[in-house]
Amino acid sequence: MLEITSEQACFGGVQSFYRHDAEAIGLPMRFSIFHPPVEDHELVPVLFYLAGLTCTEETFMIKAGAQRAAAQYGVMLVAPDTSPRDTGIEGATAEWDFGEGAGFYLDATQPPWQRHFKMESWIVNELRPLVLNEFNADPERVGIFGHSMGGHGALVLALRHPELFRSVSAFAPIAAPTRCPWGQKAFRRYLGEDRELWKMHDASELMRRQRTPFPEGILVDQGLQDQFLAEQLLPEEFERACAEAGQPLRLRRHAGYEHGYFFVQSFVEDHIAFHRHALAR
């Protein structure tokens, strides 16, 4: 059952927040949608936005200022929560970069996390079909983007499911999680010690196994004052992987910009325009 928890008029459209019982997760899950004005009378392209560590389904909608551009371009925005909540798992809320608020958009295989942390299955097999079935969304025009941990999620889900997502972009993604502390910590606990399995959730490793999966290109923006750039994000690894795969990539490096939502705000319209062009019929 789909429950509307709140709605607000916004740039001629509607900003809505929802909750539903997620079968894959085994718990209620929350997500938000910006419905552009043109959705009232025509099918619209859909962008799934995956947020970063500590964020919720509200963060992007409140902080990014994306609705103005989405209304202008006639694009639906969908933002899921970043993990299950109130899981009852011991230690699930003890660390800001692991557990609740840090689902890493994968399906955990290790106890106790595998009980509820099935984010990939929820987004791909439940949330995406739910949005397409319940709203005036075009199943042939679906893209995905995200920030930080969510940038990792967007790149990985797009590369693992290119038949479902026609376009992909990212802000300051964790581009090579098998090589950075955030990713290693999460993968070891969620997936165990099998590093070959880790590689199946690493955008740089996945890209090296493919050949031009997104011929119209991938857009990545990265701030050069980002405090996590050198240790955690490693965009140069993804850049090298794209070169090896023949994948067109626009990796834009921006002097003076840090990691947070002032950075996202500054370039979010570019990303919506990029996807709108890529998702043109």
Side-chain angles (χ1 to χ4, degrees), residues 227-239:
Q227 62 269 43
F228 304 115
L229 176 56
E231 183 180 23
Q232 302 283 13
L233 304 181
L234 310 180
E236 65 278 2
E237 292 293 331
F238 188 67
E239 188 174 37

Side-chain angles (χ1 to χ4, degrees), residues 183-194:
Q184 291 167 359
K185 176 180 180 177
F187 286 4
R188 185 168 288 112
R189 297 187 191 181
Y190 287 141
L191 301 174
E193 296 295 340
D194 183 354

Side-chain angles (χ1 to χ4, degrees), residues 31 33 46 48 76 78 127-135 137:
F31 62 97
I33 297 181
V46 186
F48 285 81
M76 179 189 295
V78 181
L127 182 59
R128 183 183 181 278
L130 185 154
V131 169
L132 296 176
N133 291 333
E134 293 289 333
F135 306 109

Side-chain angles (χ1 to χ4, degrees), residues 23-273:
E23 183 176 345
I25 302 291
L27 292 168
M29 289 296 292
R30 306 191 304 259
F31 62 97
S32 59
I33 297 181
F34 173 68
H35 299 279
V38 294
E39 188 189 339
D40 289 342
H41 56 269
E42 64 183 67
L43 284 174
V44 296
V46 186
L47 293 184
F48 285 81
Y49 175 88
L50 308 184
L53 294 165
T54 75
C55 294
T56 73
E57 78 286 354
E58 295 182 337
T59 308
F60 174 73
M61 297 302 187
I62 293 172
K63 291 187 174 183
Q67 291 93 336
R68 182 191 297 272
Q72 175 185 344
Y73 288 99
V75 173
M76 179 189 295
L77 300 175
V78 181
D81 200 356
T82 55
S83 80
R85 303 287 173 171
D86 301 318
T87 62
I89 297 174
E90 184 177 358
T93 60
E95 301 168 84
W96 71 272
D97 58 354
F98 181 78
E100 294 188 22
F104 273 82
Y105 303 103
L106 53 75
D107 286 0
T109 63
Q110 299 300 301
W113 312 102
Q114 89 281 16
R115 296 208 312 265
H116 298 301
F117 282 73
K118 301 287 188 181
M119 290 295 290
E120 179 175 7
S121 288
W122 174 54
I123 290 170
V124 170
N125 298 329
E126 290 190 68
L127 182 59
R128 183 183 181 278
L130 185 154
V131 169
L132 296 176
N133 291 333
E134 293 289 333
F135 306 109
N136 212 13
D138 189 342
E140 302 300 320
R141 293 187 291 165
V142 181
I144 190 167
F145 68 145
H147 171 236
S148 193
M149 178 187 71
H152 142 77
L155 294 172
V156 167
L157 293 187
L159 289 167
R160 285 172 61 86
H161 305 280
E163 74 283 3
L164 300 182
F165 301 105
R166 277 182 49 193
S167 60
V168 58
S169 70
F171 302 91
I174 304 173
T178 60
R179 297 170 182 252
C180 78
W182 278 341
Q184 291 167 359
K185 176 180 180 177
F187 286 4
R188 185 168 288 112
R189 297 187 191 181
Y190 287 141
L191 301 174
E193 296 295 340
D194 183 354
R195 290 183 176 255
E196 289 303 309
L197 181 56
W198 292 14
K199 290 179 181 179
M200 299 307 296
H201 299 277
D202 180 310
S204 297
E205 295 292 340
L206 286 169
M207 183 61 75
R208 289 188 175 97
R209 303 177 184 209
Q210 305 194 39
R211 187 70 189 172
T212 320
F214 290 90
E216 293 193 27
I218 295 173
L219 173 63
V220 174
D221 280 310
Q222 176 63 59
L224 293 181
Q225 295 302 116
D226 191 317
Q227 62 269 43
F228 304 115
L229 176 56
E231 183 180 23
Q232 302 283 13
L233 304 181
L234 310 180
E236 65 278 2
E237 292 293 331
F238 188 67
E239 188 174 37
R240 281 194 285 268
C242 286
E244 293 172 17
Q247 171 61 54
L249 171 69
R250 292 173 62 198
L251 174 52
R252 307 192 302 183
R253 295 172 167 92
H254 302 279
Y257 285 90
E258 298 184 1
H259 189 71
Y261 269 85
F262 292 117
F263 166 62
V264 174
Q265 287 174 23
S266 300
F267 302 105
V268 71
E269 183 171 354
D270 291 354
H271 283 248
I272 292 172

